[in-house]
Structures are given as C-alpha cells and as structure tokens.
Amino acid sequence: MKVLVTGGAGYIGSHTVVELINAEYSVVIADDLSNARHEVIDRVQAITGTRPLFYQINCADKRELQTVFTRNEIDAVIHFAGFKAVGESVHKPLQYYRNNLDSTMTLLEVMEEFGCKKFIFSSSATVYGPENPHPYKEEMPAIQSSSPYGWTKVMIERILTDYTTAHPDFCAVLLRYFNPIGAHESGLLGDDPNGIPNNLMPYIARVAAGQLEKLTIFGGDYPTPDGTCQRDYLHVVDLAVGHLKALEYAKSHVGVEAINLGTGNGVSVFELVQAFEKVNNIKLNYIIGPRRDGDLPAFWADATKAKALLGWEATHTIEDMCESAWGFAKNTSL
Ligand code: WQD
C-alpha cells in the first residue's frame, strides 16, 4: 500500500513515516520544507534503511500535486502539511487560511481525480474550544477555536465532513492531537522548530542545552493543584502509531470519524519540568511569569474511542517523553 504523507519532513510527520516504513508501507513525502529540513529524509533512511520518495512541493500547487499522483499510485493520504504556530496565526490570518485550506482542498480535488478515497487528517484538540468541559469527548461540539490556526482545523474538519457526505465511499479520519512531545529513541528525529520555540517541551530542551537562558512558566496562579496549566502530553511515537492504526481502520471503513489521540491524563507544567529534571539529572533555570493570552487552565482527552475503534492507546510515560526529548536536543546542540 502506497501512502502520501504531506508534511512528512516535519516533527509528527517524520515520526509517522518511520512507523509506516517499519510496517512495510511504501511512503511518498510531499513537503515544501517551510518548517522542516531536507536532512530529515536522510535521518528517516538512517533509522529504517529505506529512503522514502520525496517531492519538495506545496500541496496548494495543483499541477505539482497531480505530478505526484501521476507518478505514484497513491492508496491513502495522511495530511500533516500546514502552518501551525498559534501566535503567528493571530498576526497572519490570511496566510494561514490561504495555505491550510487551499492545500487541503487542492489535495481533495486531486485525490478525486485519481480515485484515492482514504484521508487521515492531522487535527487538534484546539477544535474543542474554551467552552467544552474536559476530558474532551469526540461527540462534544468542535466548532470553535481561539486562533486562526485553530479555526483552520475546525474549517478543515467541516470541509472533510461535507465532502464525505457528498462522496459516501470516501473515508476521512480526523485525528485530534493533544500535546505531542518527545522524540525518536535514536535521537535523530525530534521537535526542532525554526527560531524560538512557542511550545513548552522544545523550549525546555533548549534551556537544558544552554541555547536559551531560562524557561518562563506562563502563570503560576491558575485554578489547578499546583497553579500551573495542565495538558495531556503524549509521546510523538505513540501519536505516530495512532496514524498507522487509523490507516488500518480507514482501509475497511467509509465515512468521517473524529478520534482523540491523547493519554487521558492531565500533567502540569511544574510536573513536566520536575520530570525532565529528574530523568535527565539536570537542573532547569526557570521563573514564574505572567499568564499567556489564550491559554486554558486545564484540558485532556477522553481516550476511550481510540481504544475501542482503533485498538490504540498511549504506552509511553512522561519520563520516556522527557528522556527522549533531551536525547534529541543533545544530538542537535552538539
Ligand atoms: C503547554 C503549556 C503554556 C511555553 C499548543 C497549540 C495546540 C497544539 C499544541 C498544534 C501551557 C506552558 C509553554 C513556555 C510555558 N499545537 N508554557 N512556557 O498551548 O497547550 O498547545 O501546542 O496543534 O494547538 O495550542 O502547548 O506547549 O505551547 O503550552 O509555561 O515557554 O506550557 O502556558 O500551559 P498548548 P504549549
């Protein structure tokens, strides 16, 4: 089975490509490298012994995408490609709507042209918005978000739902990620954002590596047990395996299905910092600063549907996540 992985040179995409290759899938990557490095393809080959086909294209470019489908008989698509910086999206809404929506709609048009009917979408827990109580369940309204980035996820879920209604033999699985962190055990793949990281774990890793002076914990006065925000952190390799399970499911199903990929546990910023220090025997330099706009105090997944429908559940511990994140950061900081 040949799978097109858009954004396959990125953090979650590259980890998913490794698991796909290990499961004997044939993989084609389409990535414009706007937020990823070509070196990742070499590292995937180093880990798996197989070099995936790679096309440096933006999925909104229909002619380029048609070329990929003409040269490869694509059986399914896993769609990661898209801009994903929450804060940036507030300042650049048009670029986010244009890029994330255009690439998805162009992909669907080309898939239809070539008779490809299996679509796994990289969605996000952000679609649950601030109104829903946690733990988040898939049947809750997922119709709002707090940033243009989040709204693109809400809109793409809508597009896929309506497309599947119009094409009953199509299968779209909407994977709603919680907070993926950690890295491949080899230390060759990990979360390596351009510039100063927005997200917690890559920021912690760079402080530990001495590339950033200190971590600022955004708010210590939240209504949570230790005053810092709680999130559902899951290991990126668990997340990658979740995509394999979703692909297996899509092979024998049609229709649209939203599925949470999370551990079902809430972990606070303090708890993550302490776990990172303990497992890596490192003292992190941090201060408590003001809250960050838009942050919710706490949310985590109800993960029962993924277990029931996909036979998937997260297996790695917070310690595994912290140890692997440091293993990658040490590698890249050398
Ligand atoms: C986690 C916690 C921060 C940085 C975002 C997106 C979401 C998804 C995952 C794409 C929060 C705190 C962070 C720092 C801190 N991305 N923090 N100091 O905001 O839960 O989710 O990333 O799909 O859509 O919204 O993740 O890692 O940014 O923050 O104290 O320097 O860490 O306040 O409580 P978040 P995060």
Side-chain angles (χ1 to χ4, degrees), residues 206-243:
R206 292 205 185 155
V207 171
Q211 294 165 343
L212 290 170
E213 186 220 341
K214 67 178 180 301
L215 168 71
T216 301
I217 294 180
F218 297 143
D221 60 350
Y222 281 99
T224 60
D226 64 19
T228 65
C229 294
Q230 295 169 297
R231 293 289 184 272
D232 184 333
Y233 297 101
L234 77 154
H235 198 292
V236 67
V237 173
D238 278 334
L239 183 60
V241 171
H243 288 75

Side-chain angles (χ1 to χ4, degrees), residues 87-104:
E88 181 185 59
S89 76
V90 174
H91 308 294
K92 299 180 176 178
L94 270 188
Q95 290 89 322
Y96 270 70
Y97 288 120
R98 172 65 72 194
N99 182 66
N100 292 8
L101 299 185
D102 265 10
S103 57
T104 303

Side-chain angles (χ1 to χ4, degrees), residues 17-211:
V17 166
V18 164
E19 297 306 322
L20 286 167
I21 292 172
N22 290 343
E24 311 287 315
Y25 285 96
S26 171
V27 175
V28 178
I29 293 175
D31 198 309
D32 65 4
L33 298 182
S34 60
N35 191 25
R37 292 185 293 146
H38 186 268
E39 183 190 353
V40 167
I41 311 298
D42 304 326
R43 294 185 173 203
V44 166
Q45 182 176 12
I47 292 168
T48 63
T50 301
R51 189 175 188 81
L53 275 175
F54 172 70
Y55 295 85
Q56 184 172 349
I57 64 163
N58 183 297
C59 293
D61 184 326
K62 192 165 190 175
R63 290 179 58 78
E64 298 254 300
L65 206 51
Q66 286 167 325
T67 303
V68 174
F69 277 77
T70 302
R71 292 183 181 166
N72 302 276
E73 194 170 322
I74 305 292
D75 302 299
V77 173
I78 303 181
H79 184 37
F80 292 102
F83 295 158
K84 64 161 195 172
V86 172
E88 181 185 59
S89 76
V90 174
H91 308 294
K92 299 180 176 178
L94 270 188
Q95 290 89 322
Y96 270 70
Y97 288 120
R98 172 65 72 194
N99 182 66
N100 292 8
L101 299 185
D102 265 10
S103 57
T104 303
M105 290 187 284
T106 303
L107 196 47
L108 287 169
E109 287 170 345
V110 175
M111 285 176 73
E112 185 170 331
E113 194 182 326
F114 287 84
C116 180
K117 303 175 190 297
K118 304 297 179 186
F119 194 102
I120 312 295
F121 176 56
S122 167
S123 191
S124 167
T126 194
V127 302
Y128 289 108
E131 306 303 324
N132 284 305
H134 58 275
Y136 293 154
K137 288 183 75 66
E138 289 87 349
E139 56 268 27
M140 289 177 176
I143 51 169
Q144 56 182 319
S145 188
S146 52
S147 69
Y149 156 76
W151 276 111
T152 67
K153 296 299 187 183
V154 172
M155 292 175 188
I156 293 168
E157 287 200 359
R158 181 75 262 161
I159 290 167
L160 288 168
T161 302
D162 292 343
Y163 184 83
T164 306
T165 303
H167 300 83
D169 59 350
F170 192 81
C171 181
V173 181
L174 317 175
L175 296 178
R176 293 173 178 168
Y177 308 160
F178 283 71
N179 286 61
I181 61 172
H184 190 265
E185 61 188 2
S186 62
L188 293 175
L189 296 177
D191 193 357
D192 187 20
N194 296 334
I196 305 288
N198 300 302
N199 296 133
L200 180 60
M201 183 54 95
Y203 202 103
I204 285 176
R206 292 205 185 155
V207 171
Q211 294 165 343

